[in-house]
Amino acid sequence: MTSASNDPGRARPLHVLTITPFYPKLGNESAGCFVAEPIAELAKLGVQSTVLAVEPFYRPRSGKAPSAPDAQWYRYPALPGGVGLASAGTGLLMRLRGPLQRLHASRPIDVIHAHGALPCGHAAALLSGQFGIPFVVTVHGLDAFSTRQVSGSSGDACARVSRRVYSAAQRVLGVSQHVCAEVQRGMNESVSVSAVYNGVDPGRFAPGEEPAQPVVLSVGNLIPTKGHELMVRVLAVLLPEFPTLIWEVIGDGPELNRVFALAEQLGVLASIRFRGRQDRAAVAEACRNCTLFALPSSYEGLGCVYLEAMASGKVAVGCVGQGIEEVIRHGENGWLVRPDGIAELEEGLRVLLRDQAQRTAIGAAARQTILQSFTLAQQARHLYSAYEECLA
């Protein structure tokens, strides 16, 4: 691939404007790491990136995490909650039009990359029409039209606006084929959609030693779909055979109190480490030092945490029917169970905890999978190709 800075047909580097609600912030360094971390690899290809991280005015003011690439933060007018989501892109347009006009005049923008159809993709479509700049939009989850997040007539409005965004985009990028299929399923027409999988830094997420005391690690927001309740129930069944087993939980969210109460009720609280939110270095260390990784999430577009565990040479346990099914081959480079399949999860963890040789072989194959196809450098190359196709 010819880099943007060395392309004889281009007099200047490719300038990409990223508009995103996901970006590492103070107190939550993992938020939007999948947007921030490929930027350094894109720079190696000659891409100049300008990042606009956006948030509605009614949310607490954020600041960029020191470890993340430079970004400018913008707060925009919007109605709170789901009722305002369909129209939020218009408010975002109003906030960004002036800064974008000045930026485009001083350093012409070649491509706008929006993350999520609402509100960023909507704003990108409006800005694209006004300034004549092509745009792509990345869909990060299975709720591609926001109808799961927003119900009723407000959800219908979100779906209508999302369809317009996808139709107007030069390319729609899904983080997995599952996500791409959700986009196509909700459209009344064919759109240009392709998968660009998230990547991992295999230097940061690298193999380490197994702990003397078995540790099953879960990383993710504590929300109902992530399967934390399932893990508590399985832990209660496994502890008689593995009395020193620890379940380490990184993340925070509305399910924390419920999971805590269930663990107390089942008598397993002493075997759980609730660590809350952690920075990227701590997550990488936890992946290196666990026995295996398990997150039985039932609604997952892909799941960077599975890729990070795999890069760390650990068995990652996920669910069939989710985006990670495109990466994990059951029993070869990872482990798959049915969503809400408590008996399968219990048996899978039991088999893996008993058999270190099998864990080692699967973990080694998992890391090879990441090195071959799912590094940040590979993600950046796929993004670069998508940008180039917009300008062809």
Side-chain angles (χ1 to χ4, degrees):
M1 178 183 297
T2 304
S3 74
S5 58
N6 297 323
D7 185 347
R10 191 188 306 282
R12 56 178 175 76
L14 185 71
H15 183 198
V16 176
L17 175 71
T18 295
I19 307 176
T20 177
F22 318 113
Y23 211 67
K25 59 186 71 173
L26 293 172
N28 190 359
E29 193 183 45
S30 293
C33 59
F34 44 83
V35 176
E37 290 177 357
I39 288 175
E41 294 297 332
L42 284 166
K44 294 176 184 177
L45 299 174
V47 175
Q48 290 185 350
S49 295
T50 298
V51 180
L52 307 184
V54 303
E55 58 191 4
F57 79 95
Y58 55 82
R59 288 192 181 154
R61 189 179 296 274
S62 299
K64 181 185 78 67
S67 60
D70 286 341
Q72 301 167 44
W73 286 81
Y74 287 92
R75 294 164 69 78
Y76 61 92
L79 294 172
V83 69
L85 186 56
S87 61
T90 303
L92 184 54
L93 163 72
M94 293 166 55
R95 184 66 185 89
L96 296 183
R97 182 163 44 198
L100 189 145
Q101 188 170 22
R102 292 188 291 273
L103 175 64
H104 193 45
S106 65
R107 189 154 51 102
I109 299 163
D110 296 297
V111 178
I112 300 173
H113 186 172
H115 289 271
L118 304 176
C120 294
H122 186 197
L126 297 171
L127 291 166
S128 176
Q130 292 187 15
F131 292 94
I133 304 170
F135 80 99
V136 301
V137 57
T138 291
V139 186
H140 291 278
L142 295 172
D143 193 13
F145 296 87
S146 299
T147 49
R148 183 179 174 113
Q149 175 185 352
V150 183
S151 59
S153 59
S154 295
D156 294 339
C158 288
R160 285 195 299 272
V161 177
S162 296
R163 289 189 192 99
R164 291 203 298 269
V165 170
Y166 298 144
S167 293
Q170 272 64 40
R171 184 166 290 277
V172 180
L173 307 175
V175 296
S176 66
Q177 294 293 350
H178 276 62
V179 171
C180 293
E182 286 299 315
V183 173
Q184 292 283 22
R185 191 174 294 117
M187 294 296 293
N188 299 321
E189 59 185 289
S190 179
V191 293
S192 179
V193 57
S194 56
V196 174
Y197 295 89
N198 291 326
V200 184
D201 177 354
R204 166 177 276 181
F205 289 90
E209 296 297 322
E210 280 201 358
Q213 183 177 10
V215 175
V216 176
L217 173 67
S218 297
V219 181
N221 294 327
L222 275 84
I223 56 178
T225 59
K226 296 292 184 180
H228 291 91
E229 179 183 335
L230 218 61
M231 289 295 298
V232 175
R233 296 188 183 281
V234 167
L235 180 64
V237 175
L238 293 178
L239 277 173
E241 181 176 351
F242 307 98
T244 62
L245 177 62
I246 293 293
W247 179 38
E248 187 169 353
V249 184
I250 293 179
D252 199 358
E255 285 287 286
L256 176 59
N257 289 339
R258 188 162 172 268
V259 170
F260 190 97
L262 178 63
E264 198 168 37
Q265 176 190 334
L266 297 180
V268 299
L269 197 55
S271 298
I272 305 177
R273 297 178 190 153
F274 290 104
R275 296 187 56 193
R277 284 200 184 112
Q278 297 290 321
D279 62 22
R280 299 292 285 150
V283 172
E285 181 181 16
C287 286
R288 279 194 302 274
N289 296 329
C290 70
T291 306
L292 56 90
F293 178 92
L295 190 70
S297 177
S298 60
Y299 197 70
E300 203 74 47
L302 179 62
C304 292
V305 289
Y306 301 105
L307 304 181
E308 291 163 0
M310 293 172 72
S312 305
K314 304 299 182 181
V315 182
V317 181
C319 288
V320 298
Q322 314 305 307
I324 195 61
E325 186 180 35
E326 298 166 28
V327 180
I328 290 179
R329 301 182 303 277
H330 177 67
E332 295 180 29
N333 66 351
W335 205 270
L336 295 171
V337 299
R338 288 177 300 167
D340 299 320
I342 189 167
E344 288 182 18
L345 180 61
E346 172 196 325
E347 183 58 23
L349 294 184
R350 179 180 286 110
V351 166
L352 293 167
L353 288 169
R354 283 175 177 172
D355 193 340
Q356 183 178 13
Q358 186 174 20
R359 288 198 308 273
T360 300
I362 293 175
R367 181 164 172 84
Q368 277 304 117
T369 298
I370 299 302
L371 294 176
Q372 289 168 4
S373 305
F374 298 98
T375 65
L376 288 175
Q378 288 155 334
Q379 180 186 1
R381 286 197 292 271
H382 291 308
L383 288 173
Y384 181 86
S385 294
Y387 300 152
E388 287 284 272
E389 288 169 9
C390 286
L391 303 173

